Amino acid sequence: MDALKQSQAPLRSAPTRPFLPQESPLSMLPCRLDRAAEVRQSPVHRGATLIVRRLFIFVGTALLTLAGGYGMYDAVKVGGVTFLEALLLGLFLVLLAWVAFSFMSALAGFFVLLTRGQPSLPIDTTGSLPHITARTAMLLPTYNEDPHHVMARLRAMYESIEATRYGVQFDWFLLSDTTDPDIWISEEMAFIQLRRACGGDRLYYRHRSDNTARKSGNIADWVTRFGAAYDHMIVLDADSLMEADTIVRIVHAMERHPNCALIQTQPVIVNARTLFSRLQQFSGRVYGPLITAGNAWWHGGDSNYWGHNAIIRIQAFAGEAGLPELSGRKPFGGHILSHDFVEAALMRRAGWAIYMVPAICGSFEEVPPSLLDFAGRDRRWCQGNLQHLAVLPARGLHWVSRLHLLTGIGSYVTAPLWLLFLLLGLLISLQAHFIRPEYFPKGFSLFPTWPQQDPVLAARVFAATMGLLILPKLLAYLVLISNRDERTGFAGGFRALAGVLCETFVAALLAPCMMILQTKAVVEILAGRDAGWQVQRRGDGQPARGEVYRKLAGPTLCGLVLSLCAYAVSLPLLLWMSPVVLGLVLSIPLEIMTSSRLRAPGVFATPETNSPPTVVLRANELAAAKPAEMAGALRQLSRDPELLDEHLGSQSLASPRRFGPVDVPLAIATAKVEQCESLDDVVAWFNKLETRAALENRTLLRKILELPPGDPD
C-alpha cells in the first residue's frame, strides 16, 4: 500500500526521464501477395504422425457429412426432390460439414486431454523457471482505453516479472494510438505515476499521432524504430494479463526452437461481472481447452495467431509479416484489419513454425460485458475476416494457412447460411400448406409428383446434427471431472454440470439473435459499409435502453414474423421452431437481463473466480484504487509543469510549415486562439480535434498555455 500511495503523489516531485529508449531501427517492408516468398528458414518438419492426424480429421469430417447428407436426402426424396428442397439439401451439406469439422477437432482434443498429452510444442510447465538470455519487449497497444486500468494491468505484470531474476531481460512499451486528447494526457500523467511507483528504467511510453493501419501499424511502427534491440516481442491487448512464469517459459521455448516464429498461448477469461460475460468466461474455461487442444493436435507447426498474448520472433516478423495495403475501396480494400491470421500465414510461408500451446497456463483476457458490445466487436472482426478473401489467392501460402483464412471467413458466412436454411425450410412448409400442388406438371409423366417429406427421418437427422453440436460440451465436462485439480477448481463436478446445463440453455436463447446480428453485419460489409475503429466498452457497463431497443428491434421483428408464419402452417411447426423464435422475440429482455451485473458467479464460477491468480488479484487491487483526478488536457498541462515538460519532450510535435497541405483542425484552432482571452475560453471553444491539433503543435500549445487561466473553478 505504501507503493500505491507513492504512485498518487503530486507529479512535480518526480525527476524527468525520457519516455523512450534510444532507437534501434529495423527494416520491415510490405510483402508481396502476388509473389511467393523466399523460404529463409528450414521448413517445418513433416512427419507421418501429423499426416495421420490430419487424415483422421478430414476423413472423419467427410464421413459424417456424407452420412448426414444421405439421411437428409432420404428425408426429402419422397415424391421427388423439388428445386427448393435441392437448395435446402445443398445448404445442409455445407453447414453439416462445418459442424462435423468442429466436432472432429473437439473429439481429437478430448483424447489429447484425457491422456494428458501435449499436442504440439512440448513445454515444461511444472519445474523450476528455466534460464533465459534473450531480450524481450512487452508491447501493450492501447486505443482510447481507461489509462488507470491499463496502467494497473501493466504494473501487475511488471511487478510479477521483477519478482523473478529475469527482470532485466524485459522492456515494457505502452504503445498509444489514442485520439481523445483528454485520455492522451491522462495516459502520460498515469505513466509518470507508474514509473515513479515502480522505479523502473525499462518502462516506456510512445504516443502515435498517425493511426495508420490501426493495431498492426502500431506494432509495425515499433518494430521499425526499436525492433533491432530485441530478440522477441510479446504482444498484449489492453485487457491482457500474463503471469511471469508463463512469460519466462514461452521465452525459453523460443530459445530452444530457433525455427519457431510464434507461440500462441490460450488466454483464459477473467474479471467477468455480468451474466453475459460470466457465460463467456464459463464456456471458454470449460470448452476452450478441448477445442484448442484438438486444433493444436493436427495443426502442428502450422498453427495460427490470435493477435495477443503471444510471443513472436522479431527477425521472422520484420522479415516476412509486413502487411500490404489491399487494392480497392473499403471495406475490402485498404489496410488489413484482422492482421493476425495474415501475419501468421506470411511467416509460415517463409518456413517458420507457428505453434499453439494450450498446455501452458497463466494467460488471461477479458470479454465484452453484453451481447451488443460483443456484436460490436464481432462486426469489426467480421469485416477483417471477409477481407481475407483478397488474401486467399496469395502465392506460396501453406494449405493449412489458407484453411485458417477460410475458417475465419466461414465463421461469419455460416450465420446468413443458417438463416437462409431456416427460411427455406419454412418456405417449403408454407408452400405445402397454402399452394395447391401440381401433381402432374407440364410434359409427359407416368407418375404424379408428391410434394412431401419423411418427418420421422428428418427429425432423426436434425437430432443427429444437434448431437454433433452438443456432444463436445459433454466431452469437455468428462475431461473436467476426470482431472481432480480441475474438478476442485470448479467447486465440484455437480456444480460444473449445473453450469454446463444452464450455459447451454441461455446460449441457445442468445444464438438466434447473434445469427441475425452477424447476418446484418455480413450484408452491410458486402454493401460497402466500413466498420470504423470504435472504442470497446469494458467492465460491467450496460448499454443504454434506447440503444438496446434500437439495435434489437430487428431481431425481435424477425422472431414475430417467423412465429406467425410457423403458426399459419401448424402449431407443431411453431413448437418445433420455438427455440429460434423464442430467442428472437425475447432478444430485448434477454439483453437487458444478461448485461446486468451479478453479485456472485453462482454455477458459472471457474477456478479463476474461486481462486484468482496472483497477477489478476494485483491488477484488480491497483485498478480499485482511486485514480488521480484529471482536469482536462489543456488545464492539466497548464497546472503541471513536469507533465508539460514530459509531453513536449516525448512527442515529435509538428513545427510550423510555410507550404503544404492545410491541417484544417490546426488552422481553426490557431484562428480561435487569436480571439481567446483566457485558457477557459480555449477550453470552452475547442472541440476534440482542435485540442488534439494543439497538443501536437509546440508553438500553438505554448501560446495557449501563456494565456491567463480565467475564472477559477
Side-chain angles (χ1 to χ4, degrees):
M1 292 302 295
D2 292 340
L4 186 61
K5 292 177 181 178
Q6 182 184 0
S7 71
Q8 296 180 349
L11 293 177
R12 294 180 177 82
S13 62
T16 300
R17 288 176 287 177
F19 273 8
L20 289 170
Q22 183 177 356
E23 293 195 4
S24 300
L26 182 63
S27 176
M28 184 174 177
L29 300 176
C31 71
R32 294 283 299 271
L33 297 180
D34 59 347
R35 182 184 304 169
E38 177 186 354
V39 179
R40 304 180 184 181
Q41 175 65 27
S42 300
V44 178
H45 177 68
R46 323 306 302 169
T49 301
L50 193 58
I51 294 175
V52 171
R53 292 177 178 181
R54 291 173 175 175
L55 283 174
F56 171 80
I57 296 295
F58 291 104
V59 171
T61 299
L63 291 176
L64 288 172
T65 304
L66 289 175
Y70 184 77
M72 189 67 172
Y73 174 73
D74 270 353
V76 300
K77 74 176 183 180
V78 180
V81 179
T82 66
F83 175 73
L84 289 180
E85 289 172 340
L87 284 179
L88 189 75
L89 181 60
L91 280 175
F92 179 76
L93 285 173
V94 173
L95 294 170
L96 181 60
W98 179 263
V99 173
F101 179 64
S102 301
F103 172 78
M104 291 303 299
S105 289
L107 187 62
F110 172 71
F111 289 113
V112 168
L113 295 179
L114 208 60
T115 58
R116 308 288 192 270
Q118 286 208 19
S120 55
L121 192 69
I123 296 180
D124 179 17
T125 61
T126 58
S128 59
L129 280 182
H131 180 68
I132 60 173
T133 59
R135 291 199 68 203
T136 302
M138 305 291 296
L139 307 184
L140 202 167
T142 181
Y143 174 75
N144 291 330
E145 299 279 351
D146 183 334
H148 177 66
H149 288 86
V150 170
M151 299 300 171
R153 286 186 279 266
L154 181 59
R155 180 175 170 184
M157 289 185 285
Y158 177 87
E159 292 176 350
S160 178
I161 284 289
E162 289 298 303
T164 71
R165 61 183 184 275
Y166 297 119
V168 294
Q169 304 298 123
F170 296 87
D171 286 354
W172 302 75
F173 289 83
L174 183 64
L175 305 178
S176 172
D177 259 358
T178 293
T179 56
D180 188 300
D182 291 338
I183 298 178
W184 173 12
I185 299 305
S186 183
E187 281 176 355
E188 293 185 345
M189 185 169 66
F191 179 74
I192 296 172
Q193 295 172 340
L194 174 68
R195 266 194 165 182
R196 182 178 310 118
C198 295
D201 294 324
R202 297 183 306 279
L203 286 163
Y204 303 106
Y205 172 85
R206 190 268 287 129
H207 179 266
R208 189 172 68 133
S209 58
D210 180 7
N211 305 129
T212 302
R214 306 181 184 183
K215 183 178 178 180
S216 62
N218 198 350
I219 299 296
D221 174 79
W222 178 89
V223 170
T224 57
R225 293 179 62 186
F226 307 101
Y230 302 93
D231 301 292
H232 314 121
M233 60 182 179
I234 293 180
V235 180
L236 305 165
D237 260 356
D239 60 356
S240 294
L241 280 169
M242 294 182 75
E243 291 180 332
D245 184 273
T246 302
I247 294 170
V248 171
R249 291 185 190 279
I250 59 176
V251 170
H252 181 250
M254 293 290 280
E255 292 180 343
R256 287 185 57 203
H257 300 87
N259 72 326
C260 180
L262 186 147
I263 296 176
Q264 175 67 62
T265 66
Q266 180 192 352
V268 172
I269 298 170
V270 294
N271 293 333
R273 298 180 181 89
T274 65
L275 176 56
F276 180 83
S277 57
R278 289 196 187 278
L279 281 169
Q280 300 298 308
Q281 179 175 280
F282 181 83
S283 61
R285 188 62 175 81
V286 177
Y287 318 134
L290 191 80
I291 297 168
T292 52
N295 287 337
W297 181 76
W298 69 269
H299 287 173
D302 308 320
S303 197
N304 208 356
Y305 173 36
W306 294 349
H308 59 94
N309 292 42
I311 184 169
I312 305 173
R313 193 179 302 276
I314 292 179
Q315 173 194 352
F317 188 83
E320 310 299 337
L323 297 181
E325 187 170 349
L326 300 178
S327 60
R329 298 176 59 185
K330 293 181 179 181
F332 292 109
H335 298 289
I336 297 175
L337 301 183
S338 291
H339 55 92
D340 39 13
F341 280 35
V342 180
E343 289 161 348
L346 294 174
M347 289 186 284
R348 178 61 193 87
R349 180 172 74 165
W352 293 96
I354 312 293
Y355 283 103
M356 162 71 68
V357 285
I360 192 165
C361 303
S363 178
F364 310 103
E365 65 175 342
E366 297 181 9
V367 288
S370 71
L371 177 68
L372 286 181
D373 291 310
F374 183 88
R377 185 184 70 174
D378 206 55
R379 170 67 170 78
R380 298 192 301 272
W381 289 358
C382 179
Q383 180 175 329
N385 279 271
L386 292 182
Q387 246 188 346
H388 292 166
L389 288 167
V391 181
L392 272 174
R395 298 281 302 275
L397 294 185
H398 192 271
W399 68 269
V400 177
S401 297
R402 294 189 201 274
L403 186 59
H404 293 322
L405 297 174
L406 278 171
T407 302
I409 295 168
S411 62
Y412 293 98
V413 173
T414 49
L417 291 183
W418 277 114
L419 180 60
L420 185 58
F421 178 79
L422 180 69
L423 294 177
L424 272 176
L426 184 59
L427 185 59
I428 290 171
S429 298
L430 288 169
Q431 181 188 50
H433 186 74
F434 288 105
I435 300 178
R436 184 175 181 178
E438 188 177 354
Y439 297 105
F440 292 93
K442 294 179 180 179
F444 179 75
S445 177
L446 290 175
F447 304 100
T449 300
W450 302 99
Q452 54 183 306
Q453 301 85 35
D454 186 333
V456 175
L457 194 53
R460 290 175 181 173
V461 174
F462 175 80
T465 306
M466 291 299 101
L468 292 180
L469 289 170
I470 295 174
L471 189 55
K473 298 190 176 192
L474 299 179
L475 296 178
Y477 174 73
L478 291 177
V479 169
L480 187 156
I481 61 174
S482 69
N483 187 313
R484 176 181 294 180
D485 292 338
E486 285 288 278
R487 195 167 61 246
T488 303
F490 278 91
F494 287 109
R495 184 170 180 175
L497 178 60
V500 169
L501 295 175
C502 292
E503 185 278 334
T504 302
F505 174 74
V506 179
L509 289 175
L510 294 175
C513 182
M514 200 64 214
M515 175 186 68
I516 297 295
L517 293 176
Q518 285 187 336
T519 301
K520 179 174 178 285
V522 171
V523 171
E524 287 177 347
I525 292 164
L526 294 178
R529 182 176 174 184
D530 184 26
W533 195 9
Q534 305 300 320
V535 181
Q536 183 174 315
R537 180 161 38 209
R538 304 190 190 275
D540 56 352
Q542 281 188 293
R545 290 295 174 90
E547 180 185 359
V548 174
Y549 299 148
R550 185 178 69 255
K551 292 185 176 180
L552 295 183
T556 302
L557 183 60
C558 286
L560 291 172
V561 172
L562 288 175
S563 59
L564 289 174
C565 292
Y567 182 72
V569 175
S570 67
L571 181 60
L573 181 60
L574 177 60
L575 295 175
W576 180 260
M577 295 183 60
S578 60
V580 174
V581 298
L582 193 63
L584 292 174
V585 171
L586 298 179
S587 58
I588 290 176
L590 280 172
E591 164 64 7
I592 294 172
M593 180 183 69
T594 57
S595 62
S596 301
R597 180 165 183 166
L598 293 181
R599 294 183 179 179
V603 295
F604 299 128
T606 65
E608 290 71 31
T609 306
N610 296 327
S611 181
T614 303
V615 70
V616 176
L617 282 174
R618 180 58 176 155
N620 291 344
E621 175 193 0
L622 293 167
K626 186 178 179 181
E629 291 193 11
M630 177 73 180
L634 295 175
R635 281 200 177 97
Q636 194 65 43
L637 289 173
S638 71
R639 296 174 183 177
D640 199 317
E642 180 196 344
L643 180 61
L644 176 60
D645 289 343
E646 291 280 13
H647 176 77
L648 294 173
S650 65
Q651 301 297 322
S652 299
L653 300 180
S655 300
R657 294 177 299 174
R658 293 182 59 191
F659 305 104
V662 175
D663 185 333
V664 176
L666 178 61
I668 295 175
T670 303
K672 285 183 176 181
V673 168
E674 295 297 328
Q675 303 180 52
C676 291
E677 298 179 354
S678 67
L679 181 60
D680 281 353
D681 293 343
V682 174
V683 171
W685 202 1
F686 274 24
N687 61 29
K688 287 186 180 296
L689 287 177
E690 293 153 4
T691 302
R692 180 181 171 185
L695 294 176
E696 293 174 349
N697 186 281
R698 189 185 304 273
T699 303
L700 181 59
L701 181 60
R702 289 194 179 279
K703 186 173 183 178
I704 291 172
L705 297 181
E706 288 173 357
L707 293 171
D711 295 332
D713 294 337

